[in-house]
Amino acid sequence: MKTIHILWVDDEIDLLRAHIIFLQEKGYDVMTANNGADSIDLVRENHFDIIFLDENMPGRTGLETLDEIKAIDPNVPVVMITKSEEEDIMDQAIGSKMADYLIKPVNPKQVLLTIKKNVDQNELVTRKTTSAYQSEFAKIGMRINERLDWKEWTEVYRKLVFWELELSASQDSTMDEVLKMQKAEANKAFSRYIKANYLSWFDKDSEDRPILSPDIFRKKVFPQLDKGHKVLVLVIDNLRYDQFRVLSSAVSQYYQTEEEDLYYSILPTATMYARNSIFAGLMPAEIAQLYPEYWEDDDNEGNKNVHERELMQTQMKRRGRTDKLYFEKITNPRAGKRLNDNLGNILQNDLSVMVFNFVDMLSHARTEMEMMKELASDEKAYRSLTMSWFIHSTMFELLKTLSEHKIKVILTTDHGTIRVDSALKVIGDRETNTNLRYKIGRNLNYKAKQVFEITNPEKAHLPGRNVSSSYIFAMDNDFFAYPNNYNHYVQYYRDTYQHGGISLEEMIIPVITLSPKS
């Protein structure tokens, strides 16, 4: 445990000798000064973890000294000690970014509590978080090995994300590897569950299944419109639940969470399938059958998502809805800058839908650019980049503006993403698609035990390119690689973020209902 260095500045420092001895006996290193000028010299020459500063000193006052200390070391916590309880002094001190405020006479326990709150807090929180996860580790491990249903898997994932965020906020990385292994174990068990149960969700007599992609508007959006609310649906492409939890701290300044739900993306967990399904309110096979003009059979994701507005309109028409619709897709910064210009459209329409592609672009950029790999070197950094984008985005500016209006916001995504590590060899013909997490083709060659195979796409409500088409899905952190130039291919894509397959991160994703606080 490192030694905490304290500076105590008071023109009557000799009268505080008992306090100094008390702190030294507790293991703290304490230096003293009896005026502001000397304390500033000490701050220039030494590193201090916390400074206690008398407000009423001859010469430089405490507030004047505080300003100079902060100019030298902006991050050091300074605790102001004063005889006065006048509000203007408190306001000045708070405005000067002091860490705490004590009224004389102070007792040793007050001082000790202030040190623990301002210096030891991170270490205490880290120690408590690590201990708490250690005791939860066995419980989560036992749950993972039980025969869980889809609701229970949702709760397991919530717990894993909770502990991932708690541990990432602490300063101890010793448990990171343990959590990583537990998540990997959970994903293997979850993949087995999906492999055994996914197709049963589409049986005609199946009532016990999760909310899926085509259910989002019917179950989450239209009921809000029926209550007379204006609704804005924000679809952030490729947003995982852990990323949403980080963003929620910014959102909560302006909105209260009415409902935080998790739903299951359909397979493939890819934009062209899952997002088209959301807007159409149909599974991919039904889209291809009913609206062939809006479904492309090539492997170009861009072409496969150019008809989202039209699919949204078909869903509303089928359900007899006459709500006024505004639909906007934001695929570049220039389009984003027009958001506030379109504020009037959101206010004038019953239902507004906006699609943001930034997080998806971020995951692709991390694959292709070395600098992005450095910036998003691990999950914590990846979440931090997502948060940095969000708080500086025109979307967040729009949300802040809209919080002044009575508009419900439903924030969701089409699928998540997973960091892949293990390559699986697969052989296909020229028509086989290029996605790393799922393949569709006629003559796929693979090891059946390593994948989830759907040899009859109709059972999963997926369109087949021809009579003999089949789908295979990578599970947990696997990805598909062709034998040609295998080593180069594996090295290039290992440790990149991919989607399309089966994992907790890709399939269990947020749909959040928000109400403006104002």
Side-chain angles (χ1 to χ4, degrees), residues 64-285:
E64 292 170 342
T65 305
L66 175 60
D67 287 339
E68 295 199 46
I69 288 172
K70 284 295 182 179
I72 300 167
D73 188 351
N75 299 315
V76 63
V78 179
V79 179
M80 190 70 74
I81 302 176
T82 180
K83 294 177 182 177
S84 174
E85 295 186 58
E86 292 181 16
E87 189 176 349
D88 65 322
I89 293 177
M90 292 184 184
D91 288 344
Q92 288 181 62
I94 292 169
S96 301
K97 300 180 180 179
M98 65 146 199
D100 214 338
Y101 195 94
L102 297 177
I103 306 296
K104 286 186 176 181
V106 296
N107 65 56
K109 287 187 179 179
Q110 276 182 296
V111 175
L112 189 61
L113 182 62
T114 300
I115 294 170
K116 288 190 176 296
K117 185 167 68 173
N118 289 284
V119 179
D120 292 342
Q121 184 180 27
N122 287 338
E123 185 177 339
L124 292 171
V125 168
T126 296
R127 201 180 309 156
K128 184 177 179 182
T129 301
T130 300
S131 175
Y133 174 62
Q134 284 173 332
S135 59
E136 277 288 301
F137 173 81
K139 295 178 186 176
I140 295 172
M142 289 176 63
R143 290 292 284 157
I144 289 170
N145 291 310
E146 293 173 0
R147 293 176 62 87
L148 305 180
D149 61 22
W150 64 266
K151 296 189 193 76
E152 291 166 325
W153 270 116
T154 298
E155 292 311 307
V156 165
Y157 184 47
R158 281 186 190 273
K159 285 186 178 180
L160 287 169
V161 167
F162 171 80
W163 286 113
E164 184 173 20
L165 297 181
E166 289 289 297
L167 290 170
S168 70
S170 74
Q171 297 179 330
D172 183 6
S173 60
T174 55
M175 297 302 292
D176 291 351
E177 196 62 32
V178 176
L179 177 67
K180 186 177 178 181
M181 287 190 294
Q182 188 161 64
K183 279 183 68 180
E185 181 188 358
N187 263 323
K188 288 186 185 301
F190 178 71
S191 295
R192 291 194 295 270
Y193 166 76
I194 292 296
K195 197 172 181 178
N197 294 277
Y198 182 74
L199 293 180
S200 69
W201 292 348
F202 303 103
D203 292 343
K204 289 183 179 179
D205 57 350
S206 175
E207 295 181 0
D208 185 26
R209 69 165 178 83
I211 295 176
L212 296 171
S213 306
D215 304 324
I216 292 299
F217 275 85
R218 179 172 61 87
K219 292 194 173 184
K220 296 296 182 180
V221 180
F222 294 151
Q224 295 290 345
L225 292 168
D226 292 338
K227 293 175 184 177
H229 298 300
K230 287 180 180 287
V231 179
L232 168 64
V233 179
L234 291 176
V235 180
I236 304 177
D237 189 12
N238 206 5
L239 185 76
R240 297 187 318 211
Y241 178 55
D242 62 315
Q243 290 171 305
F244 163 73
R245 290 301 319 151
V246 172
L247 303 188
S248 66
S249 62
V251 173
S252 64
Q253 298 175 61
Y254 304 95
Y255 293 85
Q256 58 188 16
T257 302
E258 234 179 69
E259 183 182 38
E260 182 184 301
D261 206 353
L262 294 174
Y263 81 97
Y264 279 61
S265 170
I266 61 166
L267 294 174
T269 51
T271 302
M272 62 184 80
Y273 289 89
R275 205 160 77 199
N276 279 337
S277 180
I278 289 173
F279 292 130
L282 298 168
M283 289 294 289

Side-chain angles (χ1 to χ4, degrees), residues 24 85 132 149 192 230 246 278 299 326 335 361 440 476 488:
Q24 289 172 336
E85 295 186 58
D149 61 22
R192 291 194 295 270
K230 287 180 180 287
V246 172
I278 289 173
D299 191 37
Y326 169 62
M361 289 189 287
I440 173 175
D476 40 271
H488 171 76

